[in-house]
Amino acid sequence: PPFDSSKMVAFRRRFPAEVLAEINEAIIRRQTKENDPSSSSDDEPPSNHGTLILDATCVPADIHYPTDAGVLNDAREKSEQLIDVLHARRGGGKKPRTYRRIAHKNYLTLVRNKRPSFRLIRKTRRSRLHCLRRNLGHLERMAETSPLTWKEQQLVDVLQKVYDQQQEMYTQRRRSVDHRIVSVSQPHIRPIVRGKLVAQVEFGAKLALSLENGYARVEKLSFEAFNESTTLQASCERYKARNGYYPERVLADKIYRTRKNLQYCAEHGITLNGPKLGRPPKDRRLYEAQKRMERQETGERNAIEGKFGEAKRRYGLNRVMTRLSGTSASVIHLITIVMNLKKSLRDLLLTLFQLWQRGLIWRRQANYAFG
C-alpha cells in the first residue's frame, strides 16, 4: 500500500521530543505579548515578575492492567511465537516441545476464577516460570544454528529480564522490584503510584507540566517514577533564562513545599503558595486575609488542572496509543503544541471580537452624535 502504519512511526521519529520542545517554545515566544520589564532602560536588574504554575500527572499507556501471572503468560506466548519463527527459518528438524495447550488451559483456570485463592495464584505463577525457563533454553540452543535479528535479540533480552524479575519476586515473596517490567510489548513502561481515588497506580509516563500566561510547557517527561518537587528549581531557572528574571509567584501543590524549595524561593524572592510556616497569627483579620489569599491562589492553580483535563479529554493524553518510548514522547509533546495553538487561536478570536465590539459601540455613538 502507498501508506501504512510504519510511515507514521517514521514520521514521528523525524521529530524527537527535543525538536518538538523547541518548536513549542518558538510558538509560545511568537504568541506571548506580555510586557517585558527586563527591556527597560535602567541599569538595575529587573525585579521578579509573572506567575508560574507547576503540576505533574501520569500519561497512561495502552496496556491492560498487569498482573504477575498475566505478564508471565504474555512472555510465555511471545517466546513460543519466536520459537515458531526460528523453527520455520531453520527449515526442518524436530520442533522443541513447549506444551502450549496445557499451559494455556492452566492459565484459563486462573483467569476464569472470579476470586482465585492465593495458592492458585502461586501455582499459576510457578508453572509460568517453568514454561518460560524451558522456552528460553530452547531459544538459546536454536540461536546457535539460526542467528537472531536485532529485534529478536531485543525480545529475548526482555523475556530474560521478565523471568529474572518474576523469579526474584516469587522466591523472596516480594511484590515489587526495581525497574519492574509490566508489559512485554512495551518494556519501558513503569508503574506510577499516584494515590488517586479512581486508580492508585497508573502505568505510563510521568509528565511534569508548567503553565505560564496560559501556555503549557513540558518540564520533565520520564517513564520512571520521580518526585515532581525536584523539578521546581529547574523550572524557575528555565523561566529566568527565557525572560531574564525569576517569577514573582509559583503556584503548586503541597508536595512542592519542601525545605529546599522554600529556601530556594526565599533566596530568589519568589512567593510559593501555601500556608505560612509556624503558628498562625494572633490577629484575626490578618489570619482571615491569609486564608483568603490561599483560597485565591488555589483557584488560580486550578488552571493547570483544567489544562490536564483538556489534554486528556480532547487530545488523547488519557491513553497514548504509540508503542515505542520515543514516539510516545513525541506524541505527548505534539499534544502540548496543539493545546498552545488552540490557546493562541482563542486569543486571536477574542481580540477580533473585542475590536468588532468597540467598532460597534463607536458607530452607535457616532450615529447618536450626528443624528
Side-chain angles (χ1 to χ4, degrees):
F3 187 85
D4 58 356
S5 58
S6 63
K7 293 271 178 40
M8 292 300 299
V9 178
F11 172 79
R12 285 189 287 263
R13 282 177 174 173
R14 289 176 179 267
F15 293 92
E18 296 79 9
V19 175
L20 292 174
E22 294 178 3
I23 294 174
N24 185 45
E25 190 63 36
I27 293 173
I28 298 176
R29 215 168 31 239
R30 177 72 179 235
Q31 297 298 330
T32 302
K33 298 179 180 179
E34 184 183 20
N35 294 328
D36 189 357
S38 63
S39 61
S40 59
S41 58
D42 300 334
D43 295 334
E44 297 180 359
S47 59
N48 296 2
H49 185 74
T51 300
L52 183 65
I53 308 177
L54 301 175
D55 203 357
T57 187
C58 180
V59 183
D62 185 35
I63 63 171
H64 60 81
Y65 192 87
T67 60
D68 292 332
V71 173
L72 284 171
N73 189 70
D74 292 340
R76 177 190 64 82
E77 293 178 350
K78 292 286 185 182
S79 62
E80 291 169 356
Q81 294 173 5
L82 187 55
I83 288 175
D84 295 341
V85 172
L86 294 181
H87 178 71
R89 185 186 303 169
R90 190 167 53 182
K94 187 177 179 180
K95 188 176 181 181
R97 296 286 298 273
T98 57
Y99 304 94
R100 63 186 68 186
R101 293 184 180 179
I102 299 176
H104 181 66
K105 183 178 179 181
N106 294 337
Y107 180 68
L108 291 181
T109 304
L110 174 67
V111 173
R112 292 174 179 175
N113 196 329
K114 293 183 179 180
R115 294 183 179 179
S117 62
F118 177 75
R119 182 177 297 180
L120 178 60
I121 296 175
R122 290 276 299 180
K123 180 181 177 181
T124 307
R125 290 175 59 189
R126 183 173 64 250
S127 63
R128 303 305 97 181
L129 286 169
H130 291 169
C131 293
L132 184 57
R133 183 175 67 247
R134 181 178 58 244
N135 292 345
L136 287 173
H138 292 330
L139 290 173
E140 183 179 359
R141 288 187 293 271
M142 297 175 72
E144 296 176 357
T145 57
S146 179
L148 300 175
T149 63
W150 177 76
K151 191 173 183 179
E152 293 170 349
Q153 185 60 49
Q154 274 193 326
L155 178 58
V156 171
D157 295 340
V158 171
L159 296 177
Q160 185 64 48
K161 190 173 182 180
V162 168
Y163 173 78
D164 295 338
Q165 291 180 350
Q166 294 294 331
Q167 181 67 26
E168 179 182 352
M169 289 191 294
Y170 179 82
T171 55
Q172 299 182 6
R173 294 181 178 269
R174 296 169 53 188
R175 295 189 177 184
S176 63
V177 69
D178 295 337
H179 308 289
R180 181 179 179 180
I181 295 178
V182 296
S183 176
V184 179
S185 58
Q186 301 183 54
H188 55 276
I189 294 176
R190 299 288 181 267
I192 307 295
V193 179
R194 297 294 296 162
K196 300 296 182 180
L197 181 62
V198 180
Q200 292 289 331
V201 182
E202 295 179 301
F203 304 92
K206 191 169 185 179
L207 171 66
L209 205 69
S210 67
L211 201 64
E212 179 186 353
N213 299 323
Y215 290 96
R217 289 182 176 89
V218 176
E219 296 294 337
K220 186 174 181 179
L221 178 64
S222 175
F223 287 94
E224 297 287 346
F226 63 89
N227 193 332
E228 53 262 36
S229 64
T230 58
T231 64
L232 184 141
Q233 299 182 20
S235 301
C236 292
E237 293 296 334
R238 283 191 287 267
Y239 185 97
K240 183 183 179 182
R242 293 192 301 266
N243 304 312
Y245 47 85
Y246 287 104
E248 182 181 1
R249 298 186 305 165
V250 173
L251 306 181
D253 278 335
K254 291 182 180 180
I255 194 174
Y256 288 86
R257 293 180 59 82
T258 61
R259 189 177 299 274
K260 292 183 179 180
N261 289 341
L262 290 173
Q263 183 180 0
Y264 173 84
C265 292
E267 292 176 355
H268 296 87
I270 303 172
T271 302
L272 183 60
N273 70 311
K276 305 297 181 181
L277 295 179
R279 296 181 179 180
K282 295 182 179 180
D283 189 353
R284 188 67 181 179
R285 295 181 179 179
L286 181 59
Y287 177 72
E288 292 179 355
Q290 290 182 0
K291 286 295 183 181
R292 284 196 299 270
M293 180 60 67
E294 291 175 12
R295 287 194 295 268
Q296 179 182 351
E297 291 175 343
T298 301
E300 294 180 20
R301 196 197 66 82
N302 286 337
I304 197 168
E305 299 289 351
K307 191 63 68 173
F308 285 141
E310 177 188 357
K312 291 188 176 183
R313 290 177 178 270
R314 299 295 299 274
Y315 302 111
L317 198 67
N318 60 333
R319 178 173 294 181
V320 177
M321 306 300 292
T322 51
R323 303 177 70 86
L324 302 178
S325 59
T327 55
S328 298
S330 299
V331 168
I332 294 171
H333 280 270
L334 283 171
I335 291 174
T336 307
I337 290 176
V338 172
M339 285 196 301
N340 290 333
L341 290 176
K342 293 285 287 187
K343 170 69 170 58
S344 63
L345 181 60
R346 288 194 297 268
D347 293 344
L348 177 60
L349 292 177
L350 178 61
T351 303
L352 294 177
F353 177 76
Q354 291 175 346
L355 292 176
W356 173 80
Q357 193 175 23
R358 292 176 184 176
L360 186 62
I361 294 174
W362 178 83
R363 182 177 299 177
R364 289 179 180 177
Q365 292 176 350
N367 292 337
Y368 178 78
F370 296 103

